[in-house]
Amino acid sequence: MSEHPAVARFVAYLREQNLPVTAQRLAVAEALLTSERHLSAEEVAAEVARGGARVGTATVYRTIDTLLASGLLVERDFGEGFRRFEPARDIPHHEHLVCDQCGRVEEFRDERLERMTTIVAESRGFARQRHRLVIHGICRDCQRGGPRRT
Amino acid sequence: MSEHPAVARFVAYLREQNLPVTAQRLAVAEALLTSERHLSAEEVAAEVARGGARVGTATVYRTIDTLLASGLLVERDFGEGFRRFEPARDIPHHEHLVCDQCGRVEEFRDERLERMTTIVAESRGFARQRHRLVIHGICRDCQRGGPRRT
DNA sequence: CTCATTGCAAAGGATTTGCACTAAT
DNA sequence: ATTAGTGCAAATCCTTTGCAATGAG
């Protein structure tokens, strides 16, 4: 039904766990795992609806939980008051650059930062586990009086 | 009534803005501005209650808004689903180190990080405005099988 | 006195849950 | 057949708002 590899991996996960592979789970997984953007739960429902299907809000959230448990999806919080989700790519860890005007999100990776956080944590007696960095600013387009927040 | 300098500054701010100096505002400001911890709105109400006074939830939030506007308080989001607040100290900017086991929060400052974020942002065409870094780990006490999340 | 603040309760937005119904295996 | 998933609506959690009563200046 779906050719996307990430969705296929989700199906494999469901079978491993002996969980039913339902049309709703596939639709939600497809929307989330093939998206280029960081979607919110509401946007997932809208995306599924665009595809002609219909999924209840509760199911969207329940499927998101399953996807998170499978490790194929990761949760992001940009301080908007709700969560966004992004497919877990091969990138081990990356940071986010957010345009406060149009909302665009870019990702980047920085080894030095990784090392730096470990050093800081250890110097204070913490066993570092993970970190999260978000840089806020105005993107090139918006600096030129371009796009406005939709 | 209150000897704490930060609270005195809040009173000065209220007078400047021609805003009434009420007992509730003082109680909330006292709880927040003299705290060593990052309090949530609920904890503020509890703290005020411990002092014998009573403040409605709405008033807590409204006073927090005023304190934020005054610049004497800053907002923090540790991804718990609600906000925490911290008095604005002289420190221009600092990062957080959070123990995922007991919830303890330590602060630190790092110039290199500051510079690094500006460079990364600019290299991608962003005009950097601010950033936020939170490192998660396990603190020394908890590593020794110490404190557990309350 | 006059106008802003307060408290309470109702409203809101995101997310979760209870339950009868439907579908996957 | 069994067992788990789904939708809907009600319920939660944090936060905001409407409004009559209250208090600061």
Side-chain angles (χ1 to χ4, degrees):
Chain A
M1 186 140 273
S2 175
E3 337 70 82
H4 201 286
V7 178
R9 264 179 264 134
F10 182 51
V11 172
Y13 172 82
L14 291 174
R15 295 211 202 288
E16 272 168 34
Q17 307 292 310
N18 273 92
L19 295 173
V21 177
T22 66
Q24 290 88 333
R25 281 178 171 160
L26 288 177
V28 171
E30 173 102 37
L32 279 164
L33 301 180
T34 71
S35 173
E36 294 292 307
R37 309 190 308 111
H38 297 69
L39 301 178
S40 62
E42 192 179 10
E43 290 170 340
V44 170
E47 195 62 28
V48 170
R50 279 205 325 109
R54 269 132 259 297
V55 190
T57 316
T59 299
V60 170
Y61 281 104
R62 286 187 281 231
T63 304
I64 284 174
D65 287 344
T66 307
L67 281 161
L68 289 172
S70 77
L72 291 165
L73 188 73
V74 289
E75 186 178 327
R76 299 293 179 191
D77 181 351
F78 295 110
E80 301 169 293
F82 53 86
R83 296 174 292 164
R84 289 186 176 277
F85 306 88
E86 127 185 46
R89 271 150 285 178
D90 305 323
I91 312 172
H93 180 79
H94 56 268
E95 321 300 344
H96 290 97
L97 195 50
V98 179
C99 175
D100 279 356
Q101 191 153 298
C102 67
R104 132 190 244 162
V105 178
E106 290 198 13
E107 298 169 353
F108 68 92
R109 205 156 118 58
D110 194 313
E111 298 287 359
R112 286 175 304 169
L113 191 68
E114 208 82 19
R115 280 181 246 123
M116 195 179 283
T117 57
T118 303
I119 292 168
V120 171
E122 289 179 353
S123 75
R124 302 185 144 260
F126 276 63
R128 198 207 93 127
Q129 294 187 322
R130 62 202 160 86
H131 75 268
R132 164 144 187 67
L133 170 69
V134 180
I135 302 176
H136 293 265
I138 305 294
C139 73
R140 206 190 311 267
D141 291 351
C142 291
Q143 286 177 57
R144 298 197 196 121
R148 287 286 175 291
R149 169 84 64 178
T150 324
Chain B
M1 184 141 272
S2 174
E3 338 68 82
H4 202 285
V7 178
R9 266 179 262 134
F10 183 52
V11 172
Y13 173 83
L14 292 174
R15 295 210 202 289
E16 274 168 31
Q17 306 291 310
N18 274 91
L19 295 174
V21 177
T22 65
Q24 291 88 334
R25 281 179 170 158
L26 288 177
V28 171
E30 174 102 36
L32 280 164
L33 301 180
T34 71
S35 173
E36 294 292 306
R37 307 190 309 111
H38 298 70
L39 301 178
S40 64
E42 193 179 10
E43 290 170 339
V44 170
E47 194 62 29
V48 171
R50 278 206 323 110
R54 271 135 256 296
V55 192
T57 316
T59 299
V60 171
Y61 281 105
R62 286 187 281 232
T63 304
I64 283 173
D65 287 344
T66 308
L67 281 161
L68 289 172
S70 78
L72 292 165
L73 187 73
V74 290
E75 187 178 327
R76 300 290 180 194
D77 182 350
F78 294 109
E80 301 169 291
F82 53 85
R83 296 175 291 163
R84 290 187 175 276
F85 306 89
E86 129 186 45
R89 271 149 287 177
D90 305 322
I91 313 171
H93 179 79
H94 56 268
E95 321 300 344
H96 291 96
L97 195 51
V98 180
C99 175
D100 278 356
Q101 190 153 299
C102 66
R104 136 193 239 160
V105 178
E106 290 199 11
E107 298 168 354
F108 68 92
R109 205 156 118 58
D110 194 314
E111 298 287 359
R112 287 174 304 168
L113 190 69
E114 209 83 20
R115 281 181 247 123
M116 196 179 284
T117 57
T118 304
I119 292 167
V120 171
E122 288 179 354
S123 75
R124 303 186 144 259
F126 276 65
R128 199 207 91 128
Q129 295 188 320
R130 64 205 160 83
H131 75 266
R132 164 143 187 67
L133 171 70
V134 181
I135 301 176
H136 293 264
I138 304 295
C139 75
R140 205 188 313 268
D141 291 349
C142 291
Q143 286 177 56
R144 298 199 197 121
R148 286 286 175 288
R149 168 84 67 178
T150 326

